[in-house]
Amino acid sequence: PLTLSLTLPHPSPVTGLRVWNYNHSLEDSYKGVKLVHVYLDGGQVSPPGGFLLRRAPGNLHYDYGQLLPLQPTTSPPSLPPPAHTHLPRGFVYQFQLLSTWGDPYYLGLNGLELYDESQDLIPLCADNIAAYPDSVNVLEGVCEGVGVGVDVRTPDKLVDGVNDTDDGCHMWLAPILPNVINRVYVVFDSPRCVSMAKLWNYAKTPSRGCKEFYVLVDDLLVHMGTMPAVPTHARAILPTLHPPLEPHLVSFDTGASEDAAVVAQCSSSESEGIGLTDQHQRMGLCAASNKPRPAANQALRPLTSVSSITRTHS
């Protein structure tokens, strides 16, 4: 095996390592390291089986650095996680947002939640979430103008816990750009098993909510669906009278129900195709990332801004 040695100038406490795998291109990302053992002054501080490294994304859509927590050499071996073969398990859960309910310029969500194999909510923070394009702040001139600050509808708002709202300060919004698929990434430092996802569509302007979307786990397609738009009557004049915004549920627990609408069956992300079944009828192979989107005239894009200084309509 190859060995990489790091020598510190003086004794220092080290609690973890942050690793960026090889990321020259999508094809070359498969040349990255998969398994690594870590030793500190001769003692092993990685798990007995080593650390499983996350493959780099092959792009710069998010910070793909992976944190490897080092354990004391006296720690007992960790037990393997329980097997749930019918559930997806991976490092990166990618939501490809393919279309909106009418708006050709912007796409957004109120929030999302992921649940583990025990149906418990998985805690998520800003370090776990990313989007591409990141937000409307990537547009030239969005933050310009007197009294207008940086738009607050950034990816971290997807996991701030405030989902049943029409307050733009608790939503995410990004521009729709030509030849670009909008994506939301949920990234973990170790493989996580997910049984269900809850998605809250964009409520401030329902036409900007997501319509068609795919879910990929470590680049394998596991779900394709349609998310309902937020009803225009969902908000009443008095805030105490409006009905709650219901999340769109995406269940990956195909082993618990024989009537799962869409099941991805695949054995390899490199050479095998992805077979989809709809109500047990096999569908044709489908590419998860090549669906064209009609390009809108970018010169006609309306301005939009929600800042901590002032809030405007959109």
Side-chain angles (χ1 to χ4, degrees):
L2 299 178
T3 301
L4 176 64
S5 299
L6 301 176
T7 302
L8 302 180
H10 51 78
S12 304
V14 179
T15 60
L17 298 175
R18 192 164 177 83
V19 178
W20 288 261
N21 222 332
Y22 192 68
N23 194 44
H24 181 262
S25 66
L26 178 59
E27 180 179 356
D28 286 340
S29 68
Y30 288 92
K31 300 176 181 178
V33 176
K34 183 176 182 179
L35 192 66
V36 61
H37 293 266
V38 181
Y39 297 84
L40 178 62
D41 293 339
Q44 185 171 357
V45 291
S46 58
F51 285 113
L52 182 63
L53 297 191
R54 189 172 61 224
R55 182 174 61 83
N59 54 53
L60 296 176
H61 291 179
Y62 58 91
D63 182 357
Y64 59 94
Q66 180 180 357
L67 179 63
L68 308 179
L70 303 182
Q71 61 184 21
T73 54
T74 57
S75 296
S78 57
L79 296 176
H84 293 269
T85 56
H86 57 278
L87 294 178
R89 183 179 180 86
F91 286 104
V92 180
Y93 288 76
Q94 179 186 160
F95 296 81
Q96 293 189 356
L97 313 178
L98 306 175
S99 62
T100 69
W101 283 97
D103 194 301
Y105 294 104
Y106 296 100
L107 184 151
L109 293 172
N110 269 27
L112 65 83
E113 293 177 348
L114 299 183
Y115 291 79
D116 63 17
E117 60 270 29
S118 301
Q119 302 292 320
D120 293 327
L121 178 65
I122 298 175
L124 298 175
C125 65
D127 292 337
N128 296 113
I129 198 80
Y132 183 84
D134 179 80
S135 66
V136 297
N137 293 306
V138 303
L139 295 174
E140 183 179 358
V142 167
C143 302
E144 299 176 356
V146 179
V148 179
V150 174
D151 196 286
V152 298
R153 292 170 292 181
T154 47
D156 58 294
K157 304 307 187 300
L158 292 171
V159 294
D160 67 358
V162 183
N163 303 316
D164 182 7
T165 181
D166 57 3
D167 183 352
C169 291
H170 297 285
M171 301 177 186
W172 166 73
L173 187 72
I176 297 174
L177 302 177
N179 303 315
V180 173
I181 292 179
N182 291 76
R183 307 166 194 254
V184 171
Y185 298 92
V186 182
V187 185
F188 298 104
D189 288 326
S190 58
R192 294 298 301 264
C193 196
V194 173
S195 62
M196 178 178 63
K198 291 183 179 181
L199 304 172
W200 282 264
N201 221 340
Y202 193 73
K204 189 173 181 63
T205 309
S207 63
R208 293 178 175 175
C210 174
K211 183 179 181 181
E212 299 169 298
F213 69 99
Y214 293 160
V215 183
L216 294 85
V217 180
D218 291 344
D219 292 332
L220 294 179
L221 179 65
V222 298
H223 180 85
M224 53 191 300
T226 300
M227 193 184 318
V230 174
T232 55
H233 62 272
R235 297 289 151 183
I237 298 177
L238 297 177
T240 57
L241 296 181
H242 70 75
L245 294 180
E246 297 295 334
H248 178 68
L249 303 182
V250 177
S251 176
F252 304 118
D253 195 353
T254 57
S257 173
E258 295 183 356
D259 295 324
V262 178
V263 182
Q265 298 173 331
C266 57
S267 58
S268 170
S269 62
E270 301 177 46
S271 59
E272 301 276 337
I274 298 176
L276 299 178
T277 60
D278 185 358
Q279 299 295 342
H280 308 294
Q281 298 298 316
R282 185 173 178 83
M283 301 164 60
L285 295 180
C286 105
S289 58
N290 296 319
K291 185 171 183 177
R293 171 186 284 160
N297 187 340
Q298 298 300 298
L300 300 179
R301 179 186 297 276
L303 297 178
T304 178
S305 176
V306 174
S307 72
S308 57
I309 300 175
T310 181
R311 301 179 186 178
T312 60
H313 295 287
S314 43

